[in-house]
Amino acid sequence: MTNQHLKNKNVLIIGGSTGMGRATAIAAYELGANVTLTSREHDKAVTAAAAIGAEVKGYALDINSEQAVLAFFETHSSIDHIYIAAGSTKLSAVTEGILEDQMKAFNERILGSLRVVRATANKINPSGSITFTGGVSTDRPIAGAWVSGLGTASAEQLARVLVMELPHIRFNAVAPGYTDTPMWDAILGENKTVILASVAERLPVKKIATPEEVASAVIFLMCNASVTGEVVHVDGGLRLI
Ligand SMILES: NC(=O)c1ccc[n+]([C@@H]2O[C@H](COP(=O)([O-])OP(=O)(O)OC[C@H]3O[C@@H](n4cnc5c(N)ncnc54)[C@H](OP(=O)(O)O)[C@@H]3O)[C@@H](O)[C@H]2O)c1
C-alpha cells in the first residue's frame, strides 16, 4: 500500500460534515482523492467541503430517506470508495419508552447503510470499497446504550455478510472506541471534558481516540485491495480491560 492508492480516486463520505467522517474526508483529500461529502443540511455540507478544499464537493443527504438516497446516486456514479459515518446515538432504558422511537437510531445506521449499498452496488469501481462504522459497544455494551450496541454489531456483521452477496465490492467496518467528536458534545455537554478524561484514565493507552486516528483506519481499509469483511478496532485497548 502506498499513499498513491487514493490519488484521483472518487471518495464519498456520507456524514462528512463533522467528526470521524470529516477527518476521513480531510485525509482522503490530502492523499489526492476527489472527495465528496454529505451532511443532512445543504449549507453545512457545502461549508464543510469548502473548508477542506475548493475541489471538495458537499451535498445534502439524509440516509433515512430511501428516495433521497436513490436520487443522490442517480447523479453520482463512478465511485471508488464510500465511508458511511452517518449515524446518531439514542440513550434509553430498554424497558421504557416506545420501541419504534428507540430503534430509529438503529434503522438510520443499518437501513441507511443498506440503502447506500443497494443504490451503489453497480456503481463501485473495481477494487472499490464501502466502509461502515461499528464500535466498541459491540464487545463492551453499556447500560442505556443498547441501541448503539445493536447498531454497531450489525454494522460490523454487514461488512461480513455483504462480502458474500456482492464480492466485487470490498466491505469493511471501522470500530471506534471513545473518540472525541461533536457526538460527545451533544451527549455530555459541558461534562464532556471531565467524563472523557476519566474514561481515558482507564484505557491502556491513557487517551481518547482522535477522529484522525479513526480516519487513518478507514483510509487503510480503502487502500488495501486484499482486505474485505474485516473490522478494524480503534479503541485504545478498551476491549481488553
Ligand atoms: N464518537 C465516538 O466515540 C463513536 C464511537 C463509536 C461509534 N461512533 C459512531 O461513529 C459515527 C460517526 O460519529 P462521530 O462521532 O464522528 O459523530 P458526529 O460528529 O456527530 O458525526 C455524525 C455525522 O453523521 C451525519 N449524519 C447524522 N445523521 C445522518 C443521517 N440520517 N443521514 C446522513 N448523515 C447523517 C452528521 O451530519 P449532519 O449532522 O451535518 O447532518 C455528521 O456528519 C456515528 O455513527 C457514531 O454513532 C462514534
Side-chain angles (χ1 to χ4, degrees), residues 3-4 8 24 49 54 58-59 76 80 83-84 87 112 138 143 159 161 182 187 192 198 209-210 218 222:
N3 285 349
Q4 294 298 308
N8 299 323
T24 305
Y59 296 92
H76 293 84
D80 292 294
Y83 172 47
I84 306 176
T138 299
V161 298
I187 296 171
K192 181 181 104 164
S198 81
T210 64
V218 178
M222 289 180 181

mmCIF file of all heavy atoms in Angstrom, residues 3-4 8 24 49 54 58-59 76 80 83-84 87 112 138 143 159 161 182 187 192 198 209-210 218 222:
data_model
loop_
_atom_site.group_PDB
_atom_site.id
_atom_site.type_symbol
_atom_site.label_atom_id
_atom_site.label_comp_id
_atom_site.label_asym_id
_atom_site.label_seq_id
_atom_site.Cartn_x
_atom_site.Cartn_y
_atom_site.Cartn_z
ATOM 1 N N ASN A 3 0.803 5.713 -0.494
ATOM 2 C CA ASN A 3 -0.088 6.861 -0.413
ATOM 3 C C ASN A 3 -0.688 7.222 -1.759
ATOM 4 O O ASN A 3 -1.548 8.076 -1.854
ATOM 5 C CB ASN A 3 0.666 8.065 0.159
ATOM 6 C CG ASN A 3 0.852 7.897 1.649
ATOM 7 O OD1 ASN A 3 0.250 7.009 2.239
ATOM 8 N ND2 ASN A 3 1.679 8.729 2.236
ATOM 9 N N GLN A 4 -0.184 6.557 -2.841
ATOM 10 C CA GLN A 4 -0.715 6.841 -4.175
ATOM 11 C C GLN A 4 -2.070 6.178 -4.398
ATOM 12 O O GLN A 4 -2.752 6.462 -5.367
ATOM 13 C CB GLN A 4 0.261 6.332 -5.252
ATOM 14 C CG GLN A 4 1.594 7.063 -5.270
ATOM 15 C CD GLN A 4 1.409 8.538 -5.587
ATOM 16 O OE1 GLN A 4 0.783 8.889 -6.562
ATOM 17 N NE2 GLN A 4 1.948 9.386 -4.721
ATOM 18 N N ASN A 8 -6.531 10.576 -7.278
ATOM 19 C CA ASN A 8 -7.571 10.668 -8.321
ATOM 20 C C ASN A 8 -8.718 9.677 -8.144
ATOM 21 O O ASN A 8 -9.510 9.493 -9.070
ATOM 22 C CB ASN A 8 -6.965 10.518 -9.725
ATOM 23 C CG ASN A 8 -5.971 11.616 -10.013
ATOM 24 O OD1 ASN A 8 -6.179 12.763 -9.602
ATOM 25 N ND2 ASN A 8 -4.872 11.283 -10.687
ATOM 26 N N THR A 24 -11.927 11.837 7.873
ATOM 27 C CA THR A 24 -11.624 10.938 6.747
ATOM 28 C C THR A 24 -11.642 11.707 5.429
ATOM 29 O O THR A 24 -10.809 11.461 4.547
ATOM 30 C CB THR A 24 -12.640 9.770 6.716
ATOM 31 O OG1 THR A 24 -12.638 9.122 7.988
ATOM 32 C CG2 THR A 24 -12.285 8.764 5.634
ATOM 33 N N ALA A 49 -17.257 21.178 3.123
ATOM 34 C CA ALA A 49 -16.449 20.807 1.951
ATOM 35 C C ALA A 49 -15.471 21.931 1.603
ATOM 36 O O ALA A 49 -14.272 21.671 1.408
ATOM 37 C CB ALA A 49 -17.365 20.494 0.770
ATOM 38 N N ALA A 54 -11.123 23.686 -2.171
ATOM 39 C CA ALA A 54 -12.053 24.241 -3.173
ATOM 40 C C ALA A 54 -12.638 23.148 -4.058
ATOM 41 O O ALA A 54 -13.763 23.267 -4.545
ATOM 42 C CB ALA A 54 -11.327 25.284 -4.011
ATOM 43 N N GLY A 58 -19.776 19.264 -1.572
ATOM 44 C CA GLY A 58 -20.656 18.951 -0.446
ATOM 45 C C GLY A 58 -22.110 18.945 -0.873
ATOM 46 O O GLY A 58 -22.560 19.841 -1.610
ATOM 47 N N TYR A 59 -22.838 17.929 -0.439
ATOM 48 C CA TYR A 59 -24.251 17.785 -0.809
ATOM 49 C C TYR A 59 -25.072 17.406 0.413
ATOM 50 O O TYR A 59 -24.566 16.765 1.337
ATOM 51 C CB TYR A 59 -24.440 16.678 -1.860
ATOM 52 C CG TYR A 59 -23.783 16.968 -3.175
ATOM 53 C CD1 TYR A 59 -22.481 16.524 -3.419
ATOM 54 C CD2 TYR A 59 -24.447 17.679 -4.157
ATOM 55 C CE1 TYR A 59 -21.864 16.782 -4.630
ATOM 56 C CE2 TYR A 59 -23.835 17.947 -5.375
ATOM 57 C CZ TYR A 59 -22.539 17.491 -5.600
ATOM 58 O OH TYR A 59 -21.931 17.755 -6.796
ATOM 59 N N HIS A 76 -24.613 10.581 -8.988
ATOM 60 C CA HIS A 76 -23.240 10.313 -8.519
ATOM 61 C C HIS A 76 -22.876 8.876 -8.865
ATOM 62 O O HIS A 76 -23.356 7.939 -8.229
ATOM 63 C CB HIS A 76 -23.119 10.520 -7.008
ATOM 64 C CG HIS A 76 -23.282 11.947 -6.617
ATOM 65 N ND1 HIS A 76 -24.516 12.527 -6.430
ATOM 66 C CD2 HIS A 76 -22.378 12.931 -6.415
ATOM 67 C CE1 HIS A 76 -24.354 13.802 -6.112
ATOM 68 N NE2 HIS A 76 -23.074 14.071 -6.094
ATOM 69 N N ASP A 80 -15.218 5.120 -6.185
ATOM 70 C CA ASP A 80 -14.208 4.135 -5.768
ATOM 71 C C ASP A 80 -14.420 3.693 -4.321
ATOM 72 O O ASP A 80 -14.411 2.501 -4.045
ATOM 73 C CB ASP A 80 -12.800 4.720 -5.953
ATOM 74 C CG ASP A 80 -12.475 4.888 -7.430
ATOM 75 O OD1 ASP A 80 -12.372 3.856 -8.124
ATOM 76 O OD2 ASP A 80 -12.379 6.035 -7.897
ATOM 77 N N TYR A 83 -17.250 5.860 2.644
ATOM 78 C CA TYR A 83 -17.233 5.659 4.091
ATOM 79 C C TYR A 83 -18.547 6.198 4.655
ATOM 80 O O TYR A 83 -18.890 7.363 4.413
ATOM 81 C CB TYR A 83 -16.041 6.371 4.756
ATOM 82 C CG TYR A 83 -16.117 6.342 6.274
ATOM 83 C CD1 TYR A 83 -16.418 5.156 6.953
ATOM 84 C CD2 TYR A 83 -15.915 7.489 7.034
ATOM 85 C CE1 TYR A 83 -16.523 5.120 8.341
ATOM 86 C CE2 TYR A 83 -15.995 7.465 8.424
ATOM 87 C CZ TYR A 83 -16.309 6.274 9.069
ATOM 88 O OH TYR A 83 -16.417 6.249 10.434
ATOM 89 N N ILE A 84 -19.267 5.348 5.384
ATOM 90 C CA ILE A 84 -20.538 5.758 5.982
ATOM 91 C C ILE A 84 -20.326 6.033 7.463
ATOM 92 O O ILE A 84 -20.229 5.100 8.281
ATOM 93 C CB ILE A 84 -21.635 4.692 5.778
ATOM 94 C CG1 ILE A 84 -21.767 4.343 4.288
ATOM 95 C CG2 ILE A 84 -22.966 5.200 6.340
ATOM 96 C CD1 ILE A 84 -22.771 3.228 3.988
ATOM 97 N N GLY A 87 -24.729 8.721 11.414
ATOM 98 C CA GLY A 87 -25.413 7.999 12.475
ATOM 99 C C GLY A 87 -25.550 8.858 13.709
ATOM 100 O O GLY A 87 -24.844 9.850 13.869
ATOM 101 N N GLY A 112 -30.103 2.652 6.621
ATOM 102 C CA GLY A 112 -29.428 3.710 5.848
ATOM 103 C C GLY A 112 -28.235 3.153 5.092
ATOM 104 O O GLY A 112 -28.046 3.437 3.902
ATOM 105 N N THR A 138 -20.097 -3.083 20.522
ATOM 106 C CA THR A 138 -20.360 -4.469 20.102
ATOM 107 C C THR A 138 -19.817 -5.442 21.152
ATOM 108 O O THR A 138 -20.478 -6.410 21.526
ATOM 109 C CB THR A 138 -19.648 -4.756 18.757
ATOM 110 O OG1 THR A 138 -20.171 -3.862 17.781
ATOM 111 C CG2 THR A 138 -19.840 -6.191 18.309
ATOM 112 N N ALA A 143 -25.010 -0.166 29.735
ATOM 113 C CA ALA A 143 -26.426 0.042 30.046
ATOM 114 C C ALA A 143 -26.864 1.400 29.510
ATOM 115 O O ALA A 143 -26.142 2.392 29.635
ATOM 116 C CB ALA A 143 -26.630 -0.021 31.551
ATOM 117 N N ALA A 159 -20.618 -5.886 7.112
ATOM 118 C CA ALA A 159 -19.372 -5.960 6.329
ATOM 119 C C ALA A 159 -19.071 -7.400 5.935
ATOM 120 O O ALA A 159 -18.544 -7.665 4.853
ATOM 121 C CB ALA A 159 -18.209 -5.371 7.123
ATOM 122 N N VAL A 161 -21.449 -10.139 5.864
ATOM 123 C CA VAL A 161 -22.461 -10.806 5.027
ATOM 124 C C VAL A 161 -22.456 -10.247 3.600
ATOM 125 O O VAL A 161 -22.697 -10.982 2.645
ATOM 126 C CB VAL A 161 -23.891 -10.734 5.624
ATOM 127 C CG1 VAL A 161 -23.953 -11.442 6.963
ATOM 128 C CG2 VAL A 161 -24.388 -9.311 5.745
ATOM 129 N N PRO A 182 -17.941 15.777 17.918
ATOM 130 C CA PRO A 182 -19.143 16.531 18.337
ATOM 131 C C PRO A 182 -20.264 15.641 18.861
ATOM 132 O O PRO A 182 -21.148 16.118 19.570
ATOM 133 C CB PRO A 182 -19.559 17.252 17.043
ATOM 134 C CG PRO A 182 -18.276 17.431 16.297
ATOM 135 C CD PRO A 182 -17.483 16.183 16.574
ATOM 136 N N ILE A 187 -24.005 14.685 23.580
ATOM 137 C CA ILE A 187 -24.480 13.766 24.631
ATOM 138 C C ILE A 187 -24.092 14.259 26.024
ATOM 139 O O ILE A 187 -24.896 14.245 26.948
ATOM 140 C CB ILE A 187 -23.911 12.347 24.399
ATOM 141 C CG1 ILE A 187 -24.445 11.769 23.086
ATOM 142 C CG2 ILE A 187 -24.255 11.419 25.571
ATOM 143 C CD1 ILE A 187 -23.775 10.457 22.669
ATOM 144 N N LYS A 192 -18.349 16.962 29.132
ATOM 145 C CA LYS A 192 -17.581 16.115 28.215
ATOM 146 C C LYS A 192 -16.113 15.968 28.640
ATOM 147 O O LYS A 192 -15.611 14.839 28.739
ATOM 148 C CB LYS A 192 -17.645 16.669 26.788
ATOM 149 C CG LYS A 192 -16.877 15.814 25.789
ATOM 150 C CD LYS A 192 -16.922 16.392 24.382
ATOM 151 C CE LYS A 192 -15.615 17.045 24.037
ATOM 152 N NZ LYS A 192 -15.444 17.284 22.592
ATOM 153 N N SER A 198 -11.846 10.846 32.459
ATOM 154 C CA SER A 198 -11.893 9.692 33.380
ATOM 155 C C SER A 198 -11.930 8.385 32.589
ATOM 156 O O SER A 198 -11.366 7.382 33.026
ATOM 157 C CB SER A 198 -13.058 9.806 34.364
ATOM 158 O OG SER A 198 -14.254 9.399 33.770
ATOM 159 N N ALA A 209 -9.446 8.428 21.668
ATOM 160 C CA ALA A 209 -9.032 8.469 20.259
ATOM 161 C C ALA A 209 -9.403 9.806 19.625
ATOM 162 O O ALA A 209 -10.369 10.465 20.026
ATOM 163 C CB ALA A 209 -9.698 7.323 19.495
ATOM 164 N N THR A 210 -8.632 10.174 18.626
ATOM 165 C CA THR A 210 -8.967 11.365 17.846
ATOM 166 C C THR A 210 -9.702 10.923 16.575
ATOM 167 O O THR A 210 -9.523 9.788 16.105
ATOM 168 C CB THR A 210 -7.699 12.132 17.430
ATOM 169 O OG1 THR A 210 -6.931 11.283 16.547
ATOM 170 C CG2 THR A 210 -6.852 12.513 18.635
ATOM 171 N N VAL A 218 -9.792 3.998 8.413
ATOM 172 C CA VAL A 218 -10.703 3.958 7.247
ATOM 173 C C VAL A 218 -9.888 4.050 5.950
ATOM 174 O O VAL A 218 -10.149 3.319 4.983
ATOM 175 C CB VAL A 218 -11.739 5.109 7.311
ATOM 176 C CG1 VAL A 218 -12.633 5.090 6.068
ATOM 177 C CG2 VAL A 218 -12.590 5.003 8.571
ATOM 178 N N MET A 222 -9.748 1.467 2.799
ATOM 179 C CA MET A 222 -9.979 1.867 1.400
ATOM 180 C C MET A 222 -8.827 1.413 0.506
ATOM 181 O O MET A 222 -9.039 0.978 -0.621
ATOM 182 C CB MET A 222 -10.093 3.396 1.292
ATOM 183 C CG MET A 222 -11.342 3.990 1.879
ATOM 184 S SD MET A 222 -11.314 5.790 1.663
ATOM 185 C CE MET A 222 -12.870 6.230 2.451
#
